[in-house]
Amino acid sequence: MGPDEMEDPSVSARKLLNGPRAFLYEKYDPPFYILSRYDDVASALLDSETFIEGFGNGPNFQPALGILSDAPHHTFIRKLVQQDFLAKQINDLEPRLQAIVDDLLGRVEDKKVWDIHDDLSFPLPVIIICEILGIPTDDLDRFKRWADASVANMCSEDPLEYARDLDEMRQYLLAQVELKREDEQSEGLLSTIANAKHEGVYLSDDECAALATQIFVAGNETTTSLISNLIWRLLSSEGLWERFCKKEIDTDSAINESLRFDPPLLGLFKTTSKEVRMGDVTIPSRTKVMMHYGAANRDPDVFEDPEVFDVTRNGKKQLSFSIGLHVCLGRELAKLEARVTLNALRDRFPGLRLLGDGARVGPFLFWGRSRLPVSH
Ligand code: HEM
C-alpha cells in the first residue's frame, strides 16, 4: 500500500510472487494474509469449505448477508438473482447498451476535452444496473456518491467513516423495495428480490438492502474500470489504438488481456474456516486471506512474459472474475458493456488521444482511473 504500489500494482505483484506463498500483511487492523501464486489462489477459490465468504469479501469482518454468504443461504440467493444474468438475457441488452453509448458519445461530440470516466465509463454501468434492478436513473450524481462510499467502505479501517452515505443508500433501496411489494405489476430484479420468500417469509430488510447494494456495487466501479483501463492501455501503448482502429485487434481478446493485466479488483478476501498450511506458513483459522488476482495473473509459471500487455495472448484463464461457487455473476454483462463501448469509440472517434494519465481510483483493492481526460 505504499505510494509506488498504489501507482503501479505490478510492483506489489512482483514482490509477492518472490515472497512466501502466504504473505502476512501486518500494517492493517486486522492483519491479513495474501496469496499470490496462480495455483494457490485458484485452489483456494475452488475450496469453498476452507476459504469461506460468510465474513464479507473485504479485509474487515462483516455479517453474512445477501450473496456474500455460504451454502445453503448463498445457493438460495444466487439462484434467485442469476436468472437475470444468463447469457441470453444479457445478449438481449445489446441494442439498449448501444443506444446508451450512442447517447453518451453524442453528448461529448462537440467538446474539445472530455473525460472517459465521468462522461462514459461511469454513467454506462450505473444506468444499465439501475434498469436491470428496475429503479429510476434520474440522479446519477447521488448514485455515484453511494457507489464511491460503498467501495471506500470495503477497504476502510473505520466502519463509521461512510455510515451516513451508506445509510442514505439503504433507506432509498428499502423505499424502492416497498414500492415493488405494493405494485403487483412491478418488474425488474429488485421486484424479484422484494417479492422473494424464503420458507414462506419475505427476505428481511437487512437481506434486501444488502443484496440490492451488492448487485449495484459489484456491477459499477468494476465495469467502469474495465472500460477506462482498456482505453488507457490502448491509447498509451505505441501503435495499439491505430491497430485497433484498423480492426487488426480483436475486441474480445483485448478485453481479456485488459482483465489479466489491469484487473479492476486487484483482489478480494475470504476467511479461513480452519488452520491452513501453505508452504512454510500456517494461516490460523478465522483469518482474512486476500486472493490477489492481480499477482496471480502475472505469475510467470503460468503466463509467458506476464509483464507484457499482449492482446494476442490466449491460453490459461485470468482470475479477475474469480472462479468457483462465487464466480462473478455479471461477467458476461461487463464484457458486453466493454465490447459495445470500445467498438462505438473506435467507429466514432478514431482520432481519440489521451491528455495525461488522469488519476487512480482511491481504495487499495480497486484498480482503475477516476479521471482520464481525452480529446478527439
Ligand atoms: C469487469 C467487471 C467485473 C469484475 C472484474 C468483477 C469481479 C468479480 C469478482 C472478483 C467477484 C468475486 C467472486 C468471489 O468472491 O470469489 C465478483 C462477484 C460478483 N459479481 Fe462481479 N465483476 C464485474 C462486473 C460485474 C457486473 C457487471 C455485475 C452485475 C451486477 C457483477 C455482479 C457480481 C455478483 C452478484 C457477484 C457475487 C457472486 C457470488 O458471490 O455468488 N459483477 N465479481
Side-chain angles (χ1 to χ4, degrees), residues 27 39 44 58 89 96 98 100 150 156 161-162 185 207 271 319 322 332 340 354 366:
K27 290 187 210 154
D39 289 344
Q89 269 69 11
R96 177 66 191 134
Q98 244 145 14
I100 302 172
S150 307
S156 169
E161 209 177 340
Y162 300 96
Q185 314 293 319
E207 274 291 315
T271 303
L319 291 177
S322 187
E332 293 307 322
V340 166
L354 283 183
F366 292 78

Side-chain angles (χ1 to χ4, degrees), residues 45 53 57 67-68 74 78 85 129 214-215 218-220 222-223 226 259 264-265 268 270 293 319-323 325-331 333-334 337:
L45 290 171
E53 190 86 3
N57 58 5
I67 206 153
L68 298 185
H74 173 258
R78 179 134 183 152
F85 294 97
I129 289 288
Q214 287 158 2
I215 289 173
N220 278 324
T222 49
T223 313
L226 168 60
L259 285 162
L265 276 166
L268 283 180
K270 307 278 179 191
Y293 316 128
L319 291 177
S320 303
F321 286 127
S322 187
I323 51 173
L325 290 182
H326 291 272
V327 62
C328 175
L329 201 59
R331 56 200 188 284
L333 172 60
E337 287 180 64

Side-chain angles (χ1 to χ4, degrees), residues 159-363:
L160 293 177
E161 209 177 340
Y162 300 96
R164 219 169 104 194
D165 279 335
L166 295 181
D167 190 55
E168 203 182 291
M169 180 178 190
R170 174 188 157 85
Q171 297 309 333
Y172 173 85
L173 287 169
L174 287 178
Q176 290 290 325
V177 164
E178 243 357 273
L179 290 176
K180 300 290 177 194
R181 285 187 181 148
E182 281 162 16
D183 175 7
E184 283 178 13
Q185 314 293 319
S186 70
E187 287 183 349
L189 183 55
L190 193 64
S191 180
T192 310
I193 294 171
N195 291 304
K197 291 194 174 161
H198 192 36
E199 291 162 1
V201 209
Y202 280 136
L203 298 182
S204 68
D205 280 0
D206 279 349
E207 274 291 315
C208 287
L211 185 51
T213 306
Q214 287 158 2
I215 289 173
F216 181 77
V217 174
N220 278 324
E221 181 87 29
T222 49
T223 313
T224 296
S225 295
L226 168 60
I227 295 170
S228 322
N229 287 346
L230 177 49
I231 296 171
W232 182 44
R233 283 289 163 215
L234 288 176
L235 289 175
S236 58
S237 313
E238 182 74 38
L240 271 194
W241 179 252
E242 289 70 24
R243 282 178 54 208
F244 181 65
C245 288
K246 285 189 208 151
K247 302 201 176 165
E248 291 170 11
I249 293 173
D250 175 57
T251 311
D252 289 337
S253 308
I255 292 171
N256 277 336
E257 179 62 352
S258 174
L259 285 162
R260 183 193 74 83
F261 201 77
D262 290 309
L265 276 166
L266 292 167
L268 283 180
F269 287 74
K270 307 278 179 191
T271 303
T272 48
S273 64
K274 58 177 189 237
E275 196 176 277
V276 180
R277 186 93 189 136
M278 192 70 56
D280 299 336
V281 182
T282 303
I283 308 176
S285 176
R286 297 279 156 138
T287 302
K288 285 280 181 174
V289 183
M290 177 177 174
M291 307 289 145
H292 205 306
Y293 316 128
N297 287 346
R298 291 191 185 221
D299 184 339
D301 289 344
V302 175
F303 298 97
E304 214 178 306
D305 294 332
E307 306 292 340
V308 177
F309 183 76
D310 176 3
V311 289
T312 63
R313 191 186 290 277
N314 52 34
K316 196 102 174 201
K317 195 173 165 293
Q318 45 76 21
L319 291 177
S320 303
F321 286 127
S322 187
I323 51 173
L325 290 182
H326 291 272
V327 62
C328 175
L329 201 59
R331 56 200 188 284
E332 293 307 322
L333 172 60
K335 287 196 278 187
L336 181 63
E337 287 180 64
R339 192 183 312 134
V340 166
T341 307
L342 263 291
N343 288 346
L345 259 188
R346 173 182 66 191
D347 295 345
R348 203 146 161 179
F349 300 137
L352 195 69
R353 61 191 171 84
L354 283 183
L355 301 173
D357 290 322
R360 181 206 200 284
V361 295

Side-chain angles (χ1 to χ4, degrees), residues 21 210 365:
R21 280 173 63 196
L365 283 179

Side-chain angles (χ1 to χ4, degrees), residues 57-190:
N57 58 5
N60 300 305
F61 286 80
Q62 303 279 350
L65 274 175
I67 206 153
L68 298 185
S69 55
D70 296 290
H73 187 76
H74 173 258
T75 320
F76 169 77
I77 296 287
R78 179 134 183 152
K79 215 165 148 196
L80 180 70
V81 294
Q82 74 185 4
Q83 208 56 28
D84 285 47
F85 294 97
L86 302 177
K88 154 99 180 68
Q89 269 69 11
I90 296 306
N91 287 336
D92 287 351
L93 291 175
E94 187 164 348
R96 177 66 191 134
L97 284 170
Q98 244 145 14
I100 302 172
V101 171
D102 280 349
D103 177 48
L104 294 171
L105 293 183
R107 291 172 193 220
V108 296
E109 184 105 55
D110 297 327
K111 287 193 184 174
K112 277 208 171 76
V113 174
W114 53 284
D115 196 282
I116 292 287
H117 175 276
D118 294 355
D119 296 315
L120 182 63
S121 66
F122 157 67
L124 173 68
V126 182
I127 295 172
I128 203 72
I129 289 288
C130 287
E131 291 186 2
I132 290 174
L133 284 167
I135 59 180
T137 51
D138 51 359
D139 192 349
L140 291 190
D141 289 340
R142 188 174 48 168
F143 284 125
K144 169 76 183 141
R145 189 158 42 80
W146 291 341
D148 283 351
S150 307
V151 297
N153 183 59
M154 235 177 102
C155 301
S156 169
E157 284 176 271
D158 175 7
L160 293 177
E161 209 177 340
Y162 300 96
R164 219 169 104 194
D165 279 335
L166 295 181
D167 190 55
E168 203 182 291
M169 180 178 190
R170 174 188 157 85
Q171 297 309 333
Y172 173 85
L173 287 169
L174 287 178
Q176 290 290 325
V177 164
E178 243 357 273
L179 290 176
K180 300 290 177 194
R181 285 187 181 148
E182 281 162 16
D183 175 7
E184 283 178 13
Q185 314 293 319
S186 70
E187 287 183 349
L189 183 55
L190 193 64

